[in-house]
Amino acid sequence: MATLVPLAAIDPALVDQLLDTAFGEGRHARTAYRIREGADWLEALSFAALDDEDYLVGTIQLWPVALTDPKGRAHPMIMVGPVAVMPGRQGEGFGKALMAASLGAIDAGFEEGAAPLPQVMIGDPDYYDRWGFIADHTQGWHCPGPYEKHRLLARSGNPAILPDEGMLGPWNS
């Protein structure tokens, strides 16, 4: 059984070690890192999973980003990821628990009457569609680096608000 805690309660060096193990030391060159460059992750929406022996086995970070449309208007969004689970512990439900915690925190605001910001991620569409992440609305979007268009996914309670075109980057309010 996983114990979820705020990511801020975990030593950042342990988080970096987990991310290096899960994604490789070259992870900083990935497009997702360029999209959120210079931004700080959102503490209220980011979590860590600990196993029964209190070892760090997974993390999820969410970030403020924006899709800037061709007219220069920034449309704020939340970027989900990285979602990381230690190799050898994948398939035990840690990633699902982390996704449920983060998306539940986002959706709780909606239940209280505030519409949540759309969420975006680069990930496996066959895995993340269970949470409503799809590529249907992102085909005219661009990223600062290489990516596979079918892996750029968005989740929104009202897809009609999503711009048809734009460039993803950090949200600097």
Side-chain angles (χ1 to χ4, degrees), residues 33-55:
Y33 279 82
R34 293 180 191 173
I35 293 170
R36 58 185 190 252
E37 190 172 33
D40 292 325
W41 49 273
L42 301 167
E43 287 190 22
L45 302 175
S46 300
F47 296 93
L50 308 177
D51 68 8
D52 290 337
E53 297 177 10
D54 288 335
Y55 286 106

Side-chain angles (χ1 to χ4, degrees), residues 3-91:
T3 300
L4 298 183
V5 299
L7 188 59
I10 303 298
D11 180 345
L14 293 176
V15 174
D16 279 339
Q17 288 175 2
L18 183 143
L19 292 171
D20 285 344
T21 301
F23 297 113
E25 293 185 17
R27 66 186 166 90
H28 294 283
R30 291 177 172 223
T31 298
Y33 279 82
R34 293 180 191 173
I35 293 170
R36 58 185 190 252
E37 190 172 33
D40 292 325
W41 49 273
L42 301 167
E43 287 190 22
L45 302 175
S46 300
F47 296 93
L50 308 177
D51 68 8
D52 290 337
E53 297 177 10
D54 288 335
Y55 286 106
L56 178 65
V57 292
T59 62
I60 187 169
Q61 293 174 309
L62 278 67
W63 304 79
V65 298
L67 183 74
T68 302
D69 68 24
K71 294 182 179 180
R73 293 178 299 209
H75 301 263
M77 299 183 175
I78 297 171
M79 185 165 199
V80 177
V83 182
V85 177
M86 286 295 268
R89 302 303 303 264
Q90 296 171 355

Side-chain angles (χ1 to χ4, degrees), residues 128-163:
Y128 290 105
D129 69 350
R130 72 187 75 197
W131 291 286
F133 283 94
I134 57 175
D136 296 5
H137 308 288
T138 64
Q139 296 308 295
W141 298 6
H142 302 282
C143 296
Y147 69 99
E148 299 173 60
K149 280 199 175 282
H150 75 281
R151 294 176 56 85
L152 183 58
L153 311 173
R155 175 182 185 258
S156 177
N158 181 7
I161 68 166
L162 298 173

